[in-house]
Amino acid sequence: MTTLRTPGPTIGVVGGGQLGRMLAEAAAPLGVEVVVLDPTPDCPAALVARDQIVADFDDEAGIRDLAERADILTFEIELADQNVMDRISEETGTPVHPKPSTLETIHDKLVQKRELEDAGVPVPPFRKVDDADDIRAAIDDYGAPVMLKARTGGYDGRGNVPVESKADAEDALESVAGPAMVESFVDFEREVSVIAVKGDDEVATFPLGENVHEDEILRETIVPARSSEAVTERAYDVARDVLEVMDGRGVYGIELFEATDGEILLNEIAPRPHNSGHWTIEGTQTSQFEQHIRAVLGWPLGSTALRSPTVMTNLLGDVEEEGLAQLGDIDEILETPGASLHWYGKHQARPLRKMGHVTVTADGDDDSVDDLLETARDLKAAVTFQS
Amino acid sequence: MTTLRTPGPTIGVVGGGQLGRMLAEAAAPLGVEVVVLDPTPDCPAALVARDQIVADFDDEAGIRDLAERADILTFEIELADQNVMDRISEETGTPVHPKPSTLETIHDKLVQKRELEDAGVPVPPFRKVDDADDIRAAIDDYGAPVMLKARTGGYDGRGNVPVESKADAEDALESVAGPAMVESFVDFEREVSVIAVKGDDEVATFPLGENVHEDEILRETIVPARSSEAVTERAYDVARDVLEVMDGRGVYGIELFEATDGEILLNEIAPRPHNSGHWTIEGTQTSQFEQHIRAVLGWPLGSTALRSPTVMTNLLGDVEEEGLAQLGDIDEILETPGASLHWYGKHQARPLRKMGHVTVTADGDDDSVDDLLETARDLKAAVTFQS
């Protein structure tokens, strides 16, 4: 039986970027307070959160302070140090969700893939890389090109290096500079993702999203994905199998390949709300951020029903070099029926930095996702980053 | 041409109750900062706002501080002192919206009704009350009962006294204790309201809501109102005529009677977001709070298209006496598809105090507003205030 009080429960979030900001936005109507820990003064989440602790993501004193102020700890970046969080959770009695062990599993892509494969989750062929010979052997087995991945620390495509031929193996390995793994390239029809939620005693999946990447950075999410019903169901099945492997409550962003033969293969997992789930703020009855708040608190999950077809487009820093964040010509976004603007409040714009996003929901029954995608692209083209 | 920066523009809001809180919630995704002025430390809006200035609503030093920090001043309570705001706006150069002159007009219900009548807005018959004879004359003219109203300071039905017969005139006048007016009772089919927005160079109206009051306090809003199309159009016409009289940008809550003969008559105006517009957060593409933010900044207004039929029910303090705010058994609200919970973060519950609200949107095409109303009532009945 859930009871609301004032002040409500406090969630301590390691990380205060746009995910922390949107978590705090979702927490406020429920009377839930959010305190974030982030090294950047006046980080994006600071505007909406109850408070920010200015400290590095692995700063023990800062995390202890956060744990002492919070009823539950969670994180919005994978840079959180699982050992530190585990120990401080033990010391302070403040639970962490998802569990640090899950963070540890996900942190090392090789460990992640092995555990998931063991659990029956379909993954592309992969192998551990100790030296360039392993890459060449992978090319023999899977065919060129293959994808060389840093086992730890990569995100938004950083640490991923395509290897076109055996001759490139040495150079590729050098550029990754650290423990690595190699995967077969998937010949995919499209990339899709399931935002899945593990609650106290229940799970939920959001409608399948179709993701458009460029230079390995997410540009657009289209919902519902233009996949067949059978493929969509397969994606939900895989997502539920992934949740079985994850330990602890919360939202997981599960990125998948829809192969040309209709198979679903796991690509990556994020143990937190995910960029490809931002569309849920307007597109579903309960957003991924509200679900994460509910899940980590052990509250009942909400409905993930689609309210209307929806397209989300990222506003990436379209600048030559770092400078003050200024986005001009937003009038068309503000004036377009069904368009919603989200500005993350970052002080500096950098090339390809995620500065905000625009969501477009169907305005009438006639809008197809293709129409919405066209509108979203027009709106993005209308705004300009100024320096 | 509107440009976003970090930090974005700051809106200074006099009042930091639930309206200020929901304004700050709506401002955050747009990168707009909100600072509130409120005498209660840790007022509802404080959780989400950038900052709170703790000062009385008419505290000159406090309002000057607010004006100096803000790009635009607005208010979410009518208790703001229009003369003080006008003078400080002049001194600091920070504009106020809506204009203090509008606040002054609305503040005195007699002045308000006279100005609106002059502008051709249909109002119930009314007259100024200097003594009990005026009330008795009104009963002669309009028939009993009549409604005696304090000209200033009333809200949520406070200051409104029905007078059943001439014999009650003296007692009624004494209970109002101050300048008064008297109005004919309207034999209404239903009470409705239009949330209307005055932008820089445009106006917008939200879909007509039907309001259920009990003891003159709003209990439920049902959208779309169960009025005929002709009556609904008449309500929008009246709302637009009302906006003509109002000076300054912002959201106005326009409460109307739908008389049994289908006429629309003005009841009350609030120069701010209104309880009967809370449903817009989930029910329309742009909420009344986001519209107010856009309007006072002079930004383009957003679409007010209905996303789906919606019912809102207030969670009023259902307690015998004042005590700590605790709302139990919220699980059913959290679990019901289409239901959204808003908790205002007030520390104390008092009898009939507005503590939060629940919005229920249609989950499928089959939900009528009657179904939604039943769901909303069930959900309200399931929660209990604890002491």
Side-chain angles (χ1 to χ4, degrees):
Chain A
M1 199 193 89
T2 312
T3 298
L4 278 183
R5 292 179 182 81
T6 301
T10 296
I11 299 180
V13 183
V14 176
Q18 65 267 26
L19 300 176
R21 180 168 172 135
M22 290 184 276
L23 279 171
E25 287 170 8
L30 297 173
V32 174
E33 309 214 342
V34 166
V35 177
V36 299
L37 178 147
D38 198 285
T40 305
D42 195 28
C43 65
L47 177 63
V48 203
R50 169 62 86 180
D51 211 353
Q52 175 185 0
I53 294 168
V54 179
D56 281 327
F57 301 126
D58 57 359
D59 180 293
E60 292 208 27
I63 295 176
R64 189 170 291 108
D65 186 10
L66 188 69
E68 279 162 359
R69 292 183 59 174
D71 299 290
I72 294 277
L73 284 177
T74 188
F75 42 85
E76 56 98 89
I77 44 136
E78 286 96 324
L79 295 170
D81 184 312
Q82 59 267 25
N83 295 320
V84 171
M85 290 193 76
D86 226 0
R87 195 171 60 248
I88 288 173
S89 172
E90 283 283 321
E91 280 172 30
T92 59
T94 306
V96 187
H97 284 278
K99 294 284 175 207
S101 57
T102 289
L103 200 57
E104 195 175 359
T105 298
I106 288 176
H107 205 229
D108 185 326
K109 287 182 183 174
L110 181 66
V111 174
Q112 181 193 135
K113 284 281 157 70
R114 281 178 176 162
E115 286 206 19
L116 290 165
E117 188 177 47
D118 288 349
V121 173
V123 297
F126 68 93
R127 68 172 66 193
K128 181 164 180 273
V129 169
D130 289 319
D131 55 35
D133 279 343
D134 293 321
I135 302 173
R136 287 187 281 264
I139 289 175
D140 280 336
D141 284 1
Y142 317 143
V146 293
M147 183 65 98
L148 184 68
K149 293 182 168 181
R151 282 172 56 184
T152 59
Y155 66 99
D156 279 350
R158 276 173 254 197
N160 286 3
V161 182
V163 188
E164 302 291 339
S165 73
K166 289 184 186 178
D168 301 329
E170 301 281 359
D171 285 353
L173 192 57
E174 208 161 296
S175 76
V176 164
M181 63 175 288
V182 64
E183 260 183 24
S184 167
F185 247 94
V186 176
D187 191 14
F188 61 80
E189 179 66 29
R190 56 177 66 83
E191 293 179 90
V192 293
S193 60
V194 177
I195 307 299
V197 201
K198 196 160 180 161
D200 192 28
D201 197 19
E202 54 181 331
V203 298
T205 52
F206 282 91
L208 188 68
E210 175 178 340
N211 301 320
V212 179
H213 290 88
E214 207 176 294
D215 300 329
E216 303 216 32
I217 295 178
L218 182 69
R219 306 298 165 124
E220 293 145 349
T221 301
I222 300 156
V223 189
R226 291 166 291 191
S227 306
S228 71
E229 207 171 307
V231 167
T232 300
E233 285 305 318
R234 206 169 294 134
Y236 296 144
D237 287 343
V238 169
R240 279 187 287 263
D241 288 343
V242 169
L243 282 192
E244 291 282 319
V245 181
M246 302 293 115
D247 194 11
R249 305 188 300 257
V251 161
Y252 296 85
I254 302 170
E255 293 186 88
L256 306 163
F257 295 116
E258 176 186 337
T260 46
D261 62 2
E263 281 310 301
I264 289 287
L265 294 166
L266 184 82
N267 181 12
E268 305 265 344
I269 300 171
R272 51 164 175 78
H274 190 257
N275 193 170
S276 71
H278 292 356
W279 66 272
T280 59
I281 296 173
E282 290 83 12
T284 61
Q285 292 189 341
T286 316
S287 76
Q288 66 165 348
F289 300 102
E290 181 173 340
Q291 291 284 41
H292 191 70
I293 297 289
R294 290 174 179 232
V296 300
L297 290 172
W299 288 9
L301 302 181
S303 165
T304 54
L306 189 67
R307 293 200 69 189
S308 62
T310 303
V311 167
M312 187 280 317
T313 182
N314 275 332
L315 299 174
L316 303 176
D318 182 19
V319 290
E320 295 289 321
E321 53 188 42
E322 177 157 348
L324 283 179
Q326 291 196 76
L327 184 67
D329 295 314
I330 62 167
D331 300 68
E332 199 173 326
I333 295 175
L334 295 174
E335 287 165 5
T336 298
S340 300
L341 176 63
H342 295 260
W343 179 249
Y344 300 153
K346 296 179 183 179
H347 290 265
Q348 296 290 112
R350 287 197 290 268
L352 295 182
R353 189 179 200 197
K354 292 175 179 171
M355 302 301 294
H357 74 266
V358 176
T359 307
V360 184
T361 57
D363 186 34
D365 293 337
D366 297 338
D367 289 334
S368 69
V369 290
D370 299 293
D371 296 335
L372 297 178
L373 185 57
E374 197 182 320
T375 302
R377 286 178 176 171
D378 287 348
L379 293 178
K380 188 162 70 176
V383 297
T384 44
F385 279 93
Q386 301 164 339
S387 47
Chain B
M1 197 192 90
T2 312
T3 298
L4 277 182
R5 292 179 181 82
T6 301
T10 296
I11 299 180
V13 184
V14 176
Q18 65 266 25
L19 300 176
R21 181 168 172 134
M22 289 184 277
L23 280 170
E25 288 170 8
L30 296 172
V32 174
E33 309 214 343
V34 167
V35 177
V36 299
L37 176 147
D38 197 284
T40 306
D42 196 28
C43 65
L47 177 64
V48 203
R50 169 62 85 181
D51 210 352
Q52 175 186 0
I53 294 168
V54 179
D56 281 327
F57 302 125
D58 58 358
D59 180 294
E60 292 207 29
I63 293 175
R64 189 170 290 108
D65 185 10
L66 189 70
E68 279 163 0
R69 293 182 59 175
D71 299 290
I72 293 276
L73 284 177
T74 188
F75 43 85
E76 56 98 88
I77 44 138
E78 286 96 324
L79 295 170
D81 184 313
Q82 59 267 25
N83 296 319
V84 172
M85 291 193 75
D86 226 1
R87 195 171 58 248
I88 289 173
S89 171
E90 284 284 320
E91 280 171 30
T92 58
T94 306
V96 187
H97 284 278
K99 294 286 176 207
S101 57
T102 288
L103 199 57
E104 194 174 359
T105 299
I106 287 176
H107 205 230
D108 185 327
K109 288 182 183 174
L110 182 66
V111 174
Q112 181 193 136
K113 285 281 156 71
R114 280 177 176 162
E115 286 206 19
L116 291 165
E117 189 176 46
D118 288 350
V121 172
V123 297
F126 67 92
R127 69 172 65 192
K128 181 165 179 273
V129 169
D130 288 319
D131 54 38
D133 280 343
D134 293 322
I135 302 173
R136 287 187 281 264
I139 289 176
D140 281 336
D141 284 2
Y142 316 144
V146 293
M147 183 65 99
L148 184 69
K149 293 182 168 182
R151 283 171 54 183
T152 59
Y155 66 98
D156 279 350
R158 275 174 256 197
N160 286 4
V161 182
V163 188
E164 300 293 337
S165 73
K166 290 185 185 179
D168 301 330
E170 301 281 358
D171 285 354
L173 192 56
E174 207 161 295
S175 77
V176 165
M181 64 175 288
V182 64
E183 259 184 26
S184 168
F185 247 94
V186 176
D187 191 14
F188 61 80
E189 180 67 27
R190 56 176 66 84
E191 293 181 89
V192 294
S193 61
V194 177
I195 307 298
V197 201
K198 196 161 180 159
D200 193 28
D201 197 19
E202 55 180 331
V203 297
T205 52
F206 282 92
L208 188 66
E210 175 178 340
N211 300 320
V212 179
H213 289 88
E214 209 175 298
D215 299 330
E216 304 216 30
I217 295 179
L218 182 70
R219 306 300 166 122
E220 293 145 349
T221 300
I222 300 156
V223 190
R226 291 167 291 189
S227 307
S228 72
E229 207 171 305
V231 167
T232 300
E233 284 307 318
R234 206 169 296 135
Y236 296 145
D237 287 344
V238 170
R240 279 187 286 262
D241 287 344
V242 168
L243 282 191
E244 290 283 321
V245 181
M246 302 293 115
D247 194 11
R249 305 188 300 258
V251 162
Y252 295 85
I254 302 170
E255 293 184 271
L256 306 163
F257 295 115
E258 176 186 339
T260 47
D261 62 2
E263 281 310 301
I264 289 288
L265 294 167
L266 183 83
N267 180 13
E268 306 264 347
I269 300 170
R272 51 164 173 78
H274 190 258
N275 193 171
S276 70
H278 291 358
W279 66 271
T280 59
I281 297 173
E282 289 83 13
T284 60
Q285 292 188 342
T286 316
S287 76
Q288 66 165 347
F289 300 102
E290 182 173 339
Q291 291 284 43
H292 191 71
I293 297 290
R294 290 173 178 231
V296 299
L297 289 172
W299 287 10
L301 302 182
S303 164
T304 55
L306 189 68
R307 293 199 69 190
S308 62
T310 304
V311 167
M312 186 281 315
T313 182
N314 274 332
L315 298 174
L316 304 176
D318 181 18
V319 290
E320 295 290 322
E321 53 187 41
E322 177 157 349
L324 283 178
Q326 291 195 75
L327 185 67
D329 296 314
I330 62 166
D331 299 69
E332 199 173 325
I333 296 175
L334 295 173
E335 287 165 4
T336 298
S340 299
L341 176 62
H342 295 262
W343 179 248
Y344 300 154
K346 297 180 182 179
H347 289 264
Q348 296 290 112
R350 287 197 290 268
L352 294 182
R353 190 178 199 196
K354 291 174 179 171
M355 303 301 296
H357 74 266
V358 176
T359 308
V360 184
T361 57
D363 186 33
D365 294 336
D366 297 339
D367 289 334
S368 68
V369 290
D370 299 293
D371 296 335
L372 297 177
L373 184 57
E374 197 182 320
T375 302
R377 288 179 174 170
D378 288 348
L379 292 178
K380 188 162 68 176
V383 297
T384 45
F385 279 93
Q386 300 163 341
S387 47

